[in-house]
Amino acid sequence: MKNQPKVLIYGYGNPGRQDDGLGIIFTEHIEEWIKNNKINNVSVDSNYQLNIEDADTISKFDIVIFVDATQENIEEFTISKVNPSPETEFTMHSVAPSLVLYLCNDIYKKIPDTYLLHIKGYEWNFMTKITDKALNNFQKAFEFITTKFLNEEYEF
Amino acid sequence: MAQKITIEPVTRVEGHGKVTIHIDDKGNVVQTRLHIVEFRGFERFVQGRPYWEAPVLVQRLCGICPVSHHLAAAKAMDVIVGAGTGDGLTPTAEKMRRLMHYGQIFQSHSLHFFHLVSPDLLFGIDADPAIRNVIGVAIKHKDLAVQGVMMRKYGQEIILATSGKKIHGTGAIPGGINKHLTTEERDKLLKGPDPLNADKMIEWAKAAVDFFKNYHKKNKDFIDNFAKFPSNFLSLVRKDGALDLYHGVLRAVNNEGKKILNDVDYQDYLNYIDEEVRTWSYMKFPYLLELGKENGWYTVGPLARLNTCDFIPTPLAQKEFEEYKAYTKGKPNNMSMHMHWARLIETLHAAEMIKQLLEDPDIVNGELITKGKKQYEGVGLLEAPRGTLFHHYKINENDQITMANLIVSTTNNNQPMNEAVKQVAHKYMNGKKEITEPMMNAVEVAIRAYDPCLSCATHALGKMPLQFDLFDQYNNLILQKFK
């Protein structure tokens, strides 16, 4: 058996704003999947948004996958490598994954392999129901990630 | 030639804001305004929902201070289920809620100081924006950056332990709380390995107060005179006059310290406070009815709380409070940058309260719920990190919410923030031929002192770049900058 890396799936967003909750439901489903499949090397975390203390959280893992909804013009989902960047955001609502990674390196001298899984969302009103189209995108992203993990592939 | 300068949005505060500054042909500032888009959709959104859902639903307002909304709504629902206000709860319920609340205050104040304010203090407001940020702090003052990260994390751990979940926590329910802490949770938070334990948090909070005081000694002119203006002040205080961020009576004082509201029941807040609509702003302007629209505006938040209370009921914070009050010879403090000093004293108080509560056996044992005769209207108030937060609901015979009125802290501070912008714009921009980056940042520093949560006031979504527009008297755009 290969020496498995420690993986963190970290979903963020506000589940009270419709498709903004995609990152959170992704995390919830992964948590269930971990239990059902007795996966030992994958952990989950979630919050409304990323913030500076997440530098400490991710410092304990080898691989980190942030999961967020996006309004960007993509098909269903994208996964991309995150590189550390000192660029700060204008607001505290949205500390970027790249800034969390930069802080992690700066404070803890660790740079986990970090990815951002973006799932396409469509509606952002004060509702908990995620749109059908967004759910479809979530399902595709979920299958992609879990298939990779079952094959013990951790590079994207 | 008159010019209009627009700074949009304000950086490093939550959400979006826009500052417009009008300058005449001699370069003198003639008008300043802080614009925030206040969206009242949420009050309508909760109508028709069962009242017991409110404490969970309202957390959708904002990801920054969901706990404050959760607890304010729960307090209003306590009234509706006949549990009364604050002290009507069981000792366990009240202490668990207080622990949750002080955890929120601790993490929010820590984030504000270490992430948002310390870059301005460490590098100066005219420093290169490329280094005047949290990364600059991490590089040059790593110990401070680590403390900021771990103090945030500790506060989040308390919220998780008391509310059950990081997102849409369910801890507070109408009439009480739905869980105790386990002894394992209690011991971990109280005596966990360094640095995540109560004593270390008190030590670091005390060090942060000392850091500010040392900075103040070396920068008195800036700290004492930047955005200084007279105001009325409003907050909750405990019935005996102590600082109390979770429950109490409403007290307001004027700039001389004279009481305007003398410890009144917040269930009757509409007898004392109204909100004015102004044509140029989407956000309302609350004021004290007794003084009227022109003179009745007031400041809320840390500065206001330390101006209204008589003492702080924890020893280390009380000692700092005495020094703080001595600086103004006991009079209300009207220096905007002293908001940071007050905020750090509150951070120390929160750390001490957290330790006290964790050592209390009621946290791990005791009755959770109180109920009584159902009511059809309830008001919940507390002191959120940024100031007094009002939640007011009415329900019908079917237990559905029929009316909701929320006055968030940032709305309460609408006029003071406008005053701060005016003061700073006049001081830094009057008569200048060119509007520079440090001038714009000075305006932002003044607003940041109030730690406004604009997304809470606006319930907004999305991001915008920082935009700086300069218009001539004919409204032609003659200069545009993005930050």
Side-chain angles (χ1 to χ4, degrees):
Chain A
M1 189 175 175
K2 280 198 282 189
N3 195 13
Q4 292 183 311
K6 283 180 71 180
V7 179
L8 174 67
I9 305 278
Y10 193 129
Y12 58 98
N14 185 347
R17 299 295 295 261
Q18 277 191 288
D19 294 350
D20 197 36
L22 279 165
I24 308 303
I25 67 157
F26 191 93
T27 310
E28 290 168 354
H29 280 73
I30 284 283
E31 194 166 20
E32 193 66 26
W33 177 83
I34 288 169
K35 271 188 213 158
N36 294 340
N37 292 275
K38 297 185 172 50
I39 305 289
N40 297 318
N41 66 321
V42 180
S43 304
V44 297
D45 201 349
S46 56
N47 212 331
Y48 289 100
Q49 72 281 311
L50 300 180
N51 221 306
I52 56 173
E53 67 274 16
D54 295 314
D56 180 74
T57 303
I58 69 169
S59 70
K60 298 169 177 65
F61 292 89
D62 304 307
I63 294 169
V64 176
I65 302 175
F66 290 113
V67 188
D68 188 19
T70 182
Q71 293 172 290
E72 287 169 15
N73 187 23
I74 60 172
E75 286 294 316
E76 293 160 336
F77 69 91
T78 59
I79 186 161
S80 54
K81 180 91 173 162
V82 175
N83 293 309
S85 166
E87 193 176 335
T88 51
E89 298 280 341
F90 290 123
T91 73
M92 289 188 338
H93 263 227
S94 51
V95 172
S98 55
L99 180 64
V100 174
L101 192 57
Y102 193 96
L103 265 180
C104 179
N105 183 39
D106 213 63
I107 294 173
Y108 301 100
K109 305 298 174 204
K110 284 190 70 176
I111 304 185
D113 277 344
T114 303
Y115 300 91
L116 175 59
L117 175 61
H118 259 161
I119 306 175
K120 173 80 171 171
Y122 306 92
E123 300 289 340
W124 317 91
N125 294 317
F126 284 120
M127 294 172 68
T128 48
K129 188 178 184 308
I130 288 179
T131 61
D132 290 343
K133 278 170 78 178
L135 273 179
N136 182 56
N137 297 342
F138 150 75
Q139 196 59 43
K140 298 263 173 61
F142 184 79
E143 284 167 15
F144 172 78
I145 293 292
T146 50
T147 303
K148 282 274 197 182
F149 284 177
L150 286 173
N151 293 328
E152 297 189 14
E153 293 174 21
Y154 300 102
E155 286 185 14
F156 300 94
Chain B
M1 177 191 291
Q3 297 172 326
K4 183 172 86 172
I5 299 162
T6 307
I7 304 171
E8 180 183 28
V10 179
T11 59
R12 283 196 278 135
V13 294
E14 297 89 341
H16 310 131
K18 181 173 74 172
V19 177
T20 58
I21 301 168
H22 298 255
I23 296 175
D24 66 15
D25 54 0
K26 295 187 177 66
N28 293 314
V29 174
V30 291
Q31 186 187 72
T32 62
R33 282 171 173 171
L34 170 65
H35 307 258
I36 299 167
V37 178
E38 184 170 41
F39 171 61
R40 287 272 170 165
F42 195 82
E43 282 90 334
R44 286 198 297 275
F45 165 75
V46 296
Q47 288 175 18
R49 305 298 292 261
Y51 70 81
W52 52 83
E53 287 185 358
V56 175
L57 286 176
V58 293
Q59 295 173 86
R60 297 175 193 178
L61 279 164
C62 175
I64 289 291
C65 49
V67 170
S68 302
H69 287 294
H70 177 58
L71 289 174
K75 287 185 75 178
M77 296 312 154
D78 293 342
V79 178
I80 282 177
V81 299
T85 58
D87 44 10
L89 299 184
T90 68
T92 294
E94 191 189 334
K95 287 169 187 173
M96 281 289 286
R97 286 192 189 180
R98 282 181 178 274
L99 182 58
M100 190 190 304
H101 187 50
Y102 283 101
Q104 159 82 353
I105 293 278
F106 186 76
Q107 61 92 10
S108 178
H109 278 7
S110 299
L111 179 67
H112 183 259
F113 181 71
F114 288 101
H115 187 103
L116 299 180
V117 174
S118 71
D120 290 329
L121 301 187
L122 291 167
F123 302 110
I125 62 172
D126 52 355
D128 181 354
I131 61 159
R132 187 172 30 82
N133 55 46
V134 68
I135 296 300
V137 176
I139 291 169
K140 293 220 168 180
H141 304 272
K142 190 175 169 184
D143 52 339
L144 280 180
V146 171
Q147 285 175 26
V149 167
M150 299 314 286
M151 287 166 82
R152 271 281 300 184
K153 193 174 178 84
Y154 184 73
Q156 294 281 15
E157 294 290 330
I158 287 175
I159 292 168
L160 178 62
T162 49
S163 68
K165 291 161 71 180
K166 273 190 187 172
I167 294 178
H168 288 180
T170 54
I173 55 179
I177 196 89
N178 69 1
K179 72 182 287 256
H180 305 100
L181 283 195
T182 64
T183 53
E184 291 77 20
E185 287 171 329
R186 189 267 317 272
D187 292 346
K188 183 181 164 198
L189 292 167
L190 189 59
K191 300 179 286 197
D194 269 352
L196 293 175
N197 58 61
D199 284 331
K200 181 57 80 177
M201 293 301 125
I202 292 172
E203 180 190 324
W204 280 354
K206 175 73 174 63
V209 179
D210 291 340
F211 171 88
F212 184 87
K213 287 194 296 186
N214 286 333
Y215 181 86
H216 182 204
K217 272 183 199 160
K218 296 172 192 159
N219 299 274
K220 271 194 189 301
D221 182 51
F222 170 57
I223 293 294
D224 291 356
N225 295 311
F226 185 87
K228 176 184 177 183
F229 55 89
S231 171
N232 305 307
F233 301 95
L234 176 123
S235 82
L236 289 177
V237 295
R238 204 166 72 184
K239 281 180 182 169
D240 61 358
L243 177 72
D244 193 328
L245 305 179
Y246 174 72
H247 188 63
V249 288
L250 266 178
R251 180 183 287 184
V253 300
N254 69 10
N255 195 50
E256 295 299 313
K258 184 188 166 204
K259 284 181 187 169
I260 308 163
L261 290 185
N262 194 356
D263 301 353
V264 299
D265 184 349
Y266 63 70
Q267 294 300 314
D268 303 322
Y269 79 99
L270 287 174
N271 292 338
Y272 309 108
I273 289 165
D274 200 358
E275 294 178 275
E276 182 192 3
V277 175
R278 296 184 191 170
T279 52
W280 57 269
S281 176
Y282 289 100
M283 192 158 78
K284 291 181 180 175
F285 290 79
Y287 64 96
L288 296 162
L289 280 164
E290 186 177 324
L291 300 182
K293 291 177 185 176
E294 188 68 26
N295 301 313
W297 57 271
Y298 54 83
T299 300
V300 298
L303 196 67
R305 292 190 285 246
L306 296 204
N307 281 337
T308 54
C309 77
D310 300 326
F311 66 99
I312 298 181
T314 52
L316 295 175
Q318 170 62 16
K319 198 169 166 217
E320 297 297 335
F321 177 69
E322 287 166 10
E323 188 177 339
Y324 173 89
K325 292 296 282 188
Y327 195 74
T328 54
K329 298 182 171 55
K331 291 283 187 186
N333 188 325
N334 58 19
M335 296 169 263
S336 290
M337 294 304 280
H338 284 225
M339 191 90 79
H340 303 314
W341 190 0
R343 188 177 287 111
L344 289 170
I345 293 172
E346 285 191 344
T347 310
L348 177 58
H349 170 59
E352 290 183 284
M353 285 298 299
I354 287 166
K355 186 178 180 193
Q356 272 186 23
L357 289 162
L358 288 170
E359 288 176 334
D360 193 315
D362 286 338
I363 287 288
V364 292
N365 219 334
E367 292 293 319
L368 299 175
I369 301 283
T370 307
K371 293 221 167 152
K373 188 175 175 216
K374 193 164 89 176
Q375 309 292 313
Y376 291 88
E377 184 171 4
V379 178
L381 249 74
L382 53 71
E383 288 297 323
R386 292 155 183 82
T388 317
L389 171 64
F390 297 67
H391 276 225
H392 179 191
Y393 302 91
K394 291 180 183 174
I395 66 166
N396 63 17
E397 296 285 348
N398 299 321
D399 293 340
Q400 294 168 302
I401 294 169
T402 57
M403 188 284 294
N405 184 41
L406 277 58
I407 308 176
V408 301
S409 317
T410 296
T411 302
N412 281 311
N413 271 335
N414 194 358
Q415 184 63 32
M417 288 190 294
N418 271 279
E419 290 293 324
V421 169
K422 183 166 81 177
Q423 292 283 330
V424 172
H426 277 270
K427 181 169 181 176
Y428 283 80
M429 295 179 175
N430 250 357
K432 300 290 191 302
K433 286 182 181 170
E434 188 188 354
I435 303 303
T436 62
E437 164 81 28
M439 289 178 196
M440 287 192 291
N441 194 52
V443 172
E444 293 175 28
V445 167
I447 298 168
R448 272 204 288 278
Y450 293 81
D451 193 15
C453 184
L454 302 182
S455 79
C456 208
T458 66
H459 315 166
L461 179 77
K463 292 188 286 186
M464 293 167 70
L466 178 66
Q467 189 176 330
F468 170 79
D469 292 345
L470 185 62
F471 296 88
D472 66 14
Q473 60 183 321
Y474 305 109
N475 241 4
N476 297 317
L477 183 66
I478 56 172
L479 178 68
Q480 185 165 64
K481 285 185 183 176
F482 292 90
K483 291 172 73 180

